[in-house]
Amino acid sequence: MPMALQYLVRAALCLLFSVGAAVSPTVELGCNKYTGVAKPYGITQWLGMRYAAPPVGQLRFMPPEDTSCNGALQVADTHGKICLETQGDPADNRTSEDCLFLDVYAPTNATSHAKLPVFFFIQGGGFNSNSNPDLDGRGLITASGHSIIVVTFNYRVGPYGFITDGDAITPNNGLRDQRKALEWVQKYISRFGGDPDHVVLGGDSAGAASISLQMAAFGGRDDHLFDAAAAESVSFATVLTIKESQYQYDNLAIQAGCVAANSLACLKSKTAEELQTVNSPIPYPGAAQAPLYMWNPVIDNDIIRDYTYKAFDEGKFVKVPAIFGDDTNGGTIFTPRDTSTLAESDSFLKSQFPYLSLEQLGKINDLYPKQNDTCPSAGCYWRQVSDVYGQMRYMCPGLYISSAMTRHGVARSYSYRYDVEDPAQVAQGLGVPHTVELNAIFGPENLGYAGSAPASYYRNGTNAAVVPVIQAYWTSFIRSFDPNRYRYPGSAIWEVWSERAQDRLLFETGGKTRMELVDDTTRRRCEYFYSIGLDIRQ
């Protein structure tokens, strides 16, 4: 049977995946009851359901707790509030400290016995914001032939999710929120037609970093919360210990006027608006500028027991099929466009990675020469510092994880590079920027609060063709842990990663795909970053 016909037949059969009555829009979740909304395109959505108690008052800065009971039927037709972000506007009514909500999207004709695969997406934002809230699962479900369920959610960020005082505050509560949401999925997703034994983690940027951290959580302990993972632009930031991060707590307490004996009680007594007024980043000790993202997970010898490089090197992670990949120009949206000297480039890097030594900066400068000697002085080093930052923080860590998984016996480890150029982004000098593939994976119409996709991704755009291609790979992986089984007709076979060959799938402009080898220059640069990863606390 021709592959195109196979694809159509499989999509049609997905509509017949089960027998029996469809799941009711009204679901009972313990002592709470929600009713969802059935949409005309065959998907029912439940928006704004609580997966944890409101983390306010005495629960501020504390681990997530179970939701309380609500005897009334709750109509789940509105997204929950977005978690407060670092430097966020205190008057923004779209955000709130009470933000631990999730959304479920499921085929309307799913039954309680359907056991559909579940895609659990962790949004990014550098652990300082919820940068992709309210993503709509419609595009992926439709691309799968209505054969999967999509779950999205908010988790605490900034000081609300990642402050610690070395004493009364449990560290890494943002990661604990994620785990709480995963536990909710294990307990309740079958009531929406989902299979708790077939959960695939998804995530971009800090969401992809969260995937790596959840894989390595508790020393790689497998609590059977997920069964595969697809990570877009995993991020290896500077990871501090509890002691090293104490200056962050101290500064917030000072700025909030909480320098009395019981500073924590004082911080808990403040309104969210009062805290937001002083919720701004400060430099790492010894750095000249504040980092882009100050609040981050810390090593607490509990949920995070070591640096990510070391955890994966030693095989202390949950062994599941996984996709890890990145964009060609992952650093361009972060680095200052007016970087005009090598000194300014080095200063930016030192502000993000304060443990870089002068010798290491010198070696990096050798590995990344200025690309264009004829460029004007203003911004002459923008691409140089962008390449360093993009590969040190995103691309090389992703390649390292792919290799570590292969070394430690994961048979299905896949890697990709996304090189789909949008004309407007190229004209801005951004190239193919950080996590731009999210627009294609979810579909350009389904980005919710995150904003509009580049024009080329919409119908009749120059990159419209990439949308069904990447969605087919992703939904195939979600359904079968194999991106090839239900891939789009004519797209390349996605070969598993080989540490020796270093072969990854290349997404090209216009929806083309092929396998490529990581080039020698990138290999050489990444090898150096691997060698200093522990030194600079990644």
Side-chain angles (χ1 to χ4, degrees):
M1 182 184 297
M3 186 172 181
L5 183 56
Q6 290 181 42
Y7 184 82
L8 293 173
V9 169
R10 287 166 179 164
L13 288 175
C14 289
L15 299 176
L16 304 174
F17 52 77
S18 61
V19 295
V23 169
S24 169
T26 299
V27 291
E28 292 190 12
L29 309 177
C31 58
N32 291 299
K33 184 184 293 185
Y34 291 93
T35 186
V37 177
K39 308 300 282 188
Y41 39 79
I43 294 171
T44 299
Q45 58 188 35
W46 293 262
L47 309 180
M49 295 185 291
R50 290 189 184 276
Y51 68 87
V56 300
Q58 291 305 305
L59 293 184
R60 176 182 285 168
F61 308 143
M62 304 305 289
E65 295 193 358
D66 291 340
T67 59
S68 59
C69 293
N70 185 330
L73 176 64
Q74 302 170 72
V75 179
D77 62 351
T78 305
H79 295 289
K81 296 283 189 178
I82 302 164
C83 295
L84 296 172
E85 66 180 13
T86 303
Q87 293 186 294
D89 182 357
D92 187 350
N93 61 13
R94 294 170 298 189
T95 64
S96 172
E97 191 174 8
D98 180 8
C99 63
L100 300 185
F101 300 94
L102 55 71
D103 302 333
V104 174
Y105 301 86
T108 299
N109 61 348
T111 73
S112 59
H113 303 293
K115 288 189 174 295
L116 298 181
V118 179
F119 187 52
F120 179 93
F121 189 81
I122 309 175
Q123 61 182 300
F127 296 114
N128 283 257
S129 71
N130 288 166
S131 65
N132 313 114
D134 306 344
L135 289 171
D136 192 330
R138 172 184 178 180
L140 279 169
I141 293 174
T142 302
S144 75
H146 289 72
S147 66
I148 66 172
I149 287 175
V150 175
V151 179
T152 61
F153 71 109
N154 296 331
Y155 58 95
R156 284 174 289 175
V157 292
Y160 307 95
F162 294 99
I163 198 172
T164 181
D165 64 348
D167 182 22
I169 298 178
T170 303
N172 299 316
N173 284 319
L175 296 180
R176 297 176 196 277
D177 291 346
Q178 296 172 6
R179 220 160 177 86
K180 189 74 169 177
L182 281 166
E183 291 168 354
W184 185 99
V185 167
Q186 288 297 307
K187 192 171 184 178
Y188 296 122
I189 203 63
S190 63
R191 303 185 187 185
F192 302 85
D195 185 355
D197 295 322
H198 191 129
V199 177
V200 178
L201 298 185
D204 68 321
S205 195
S210 297
I211 289 174
S212 68
L213 294 171
Q214 295 295 355
M215 290 173 69
F218 302 107
R221 186 181 77 202
D222 190 355
D223 291 339
H224 305 291
L225 296 177
F226 54 88
D227 306 280
E232 307 159 45
S233 299
V234 65
S235 171
F236 278 22
T238 299
V239 179
L240 303 177
T241 64
I242 291 175
K243 183 177 180 180
E244 289 168 342
S245 70
Q246 182 69 42
Y247 77 95
Q248 299 174 343
Y249 174 91
D250 292 347
N251 178 76
L252 184 68
I254 291 170
Q255 295 301 313
C258 293
V259 294
N262 195 339
S263 59
L264 179 56
C266 176
L267 285 172
K268 287 187 175 183
S269 72
K270 298 292 181 180
T271 66
E273 291 76 12
E274 288 172 325
L275 281 187
Q276 280 300 91
T277 302
V278 297
N279 182 11
S280 298
I282 61 172
Y284 288 109
Q289 305 166 354
L292 296 171
Y293 305 106
M294 184 185 84
W295 300 99
N296 275 292
V298 298
I299 293 177
D300 60 0
N301 296 314
D302 184 34
I303 192 169
I304 298 183
R305 300 183 179 178
D306 216 328
Y307 302 109
T308 316
Y309 266 125
K310 189 175 180 183
F312 277 84
D313 179 56
E314 295 180 349
K316 295 178 179 178
F317 58 89
V318 180
K319 315 299 191 299
V320 294
I323 293 171
F324 280 84
D326 194 27
D327 311 272
T328 300
N329 307 110
T332 51
I333 65 171
F334 300 104
T335 50
R337 286 174 171 264
D338 60 353
T339 304
S340 58
T341 67
L342 190 57
E344 290 173 352
S345 170
D346 289 342
S347 179
F348 172 83
L349 295 173
K350 181 73 171 175
S351 295
Q352 314 308 315
F353 297 97
Y355 294 96
L356 278 169
S357 69
L358 298 181
E359 180 182 356
Q360 290 165 347
L361 282 169
K363 177 64 174 177
I364 291 170
N365 293 340
D366 291 339
L367 288 169
Y368 290 83
K370 184 176 63 175
Q371 296 179 8
N372 186 355
D373 291 329
T374 64
C375 67
S377 58
C380 200
Y381 275 85
W382 174 40
R383 272 307 185 97
Q384 185 266 356
V385 71
S386 297
D387 288 347
V388 177
Y389 184 75
Q391 294 189 3
M392 179 162 58
R393 181 157 183 162
Y394 301 109
M395 183 171 289
C396 296
L399 295 174
Y400 188 87
I401 286 179
S402 293
S403 290
M405 296 186 69
T406 299
R407 288 199 306 272
H408 290 286
V410 177
R412 293 181 178 180
S413 175
Y414 302 92
S415 178
Y416 74 89
R417 177 167 70 95
Y418 194 77
D419 194 41
V420 176
E421 294 183 338
D422 171 70
Q425 291 177 332
V426 171
Q428 296 173 52
L430 296 173
V432 183
H434 183 63
T435 67
V436 68
E437 71 271 35
L438 185 73
N439 300 285
I441 291 172
F442 274 82
E445 302 87 0
N446 302 305
L447 303 183
Y449 176 77
S452 299
S456 65
Y457 285 82
Y458 289 92
R459 188 181 302 274
N460 299 322
T462 56
N463 287 314
V466 77
V467 176
V469 171
I470 199 168
Q471 285 185 333
Y473 281 125
W474 249 248
T475 56
S476 178
F477 185 76
I478 293 165
R479 295 166 64 186
S480 66
F481 308 145
D482 179 354
N484 296 301
R485 182 171 296 180
Y486 306 109
R487 74 183 190 278
Y488 192 76
S491 59
I493 294 175
W494 194 338
E495 299 173 12
V496 295
W497 173 262
S498 163
E499 185 175 17
R500 180 188 59 80
Q502 299 207 6
D503 45 349
R504 58 186 176 182
L505 185 71
L506 177 65
F507 290 93
E508 296 183 290
T509 306
K512 299 176 182 178
T513 55
R514 62 182 173 87
M515 294 299 297
E516 70 163 5
L517 302 180
V518 178
D519 63 273
D520 290 340
T521 298
T522 301
R523 289 195 194 199
R524 185 170 65 254
R525 290 168 171 175
C526 287
E527 287 292 340
Y528 182 68
F529 290 137
Y530 303 157
S531 73
I532 66 171
L534 296 184
D535 293 340
I536 64 175
R537 313 293 205 272
Q538 285 184 299

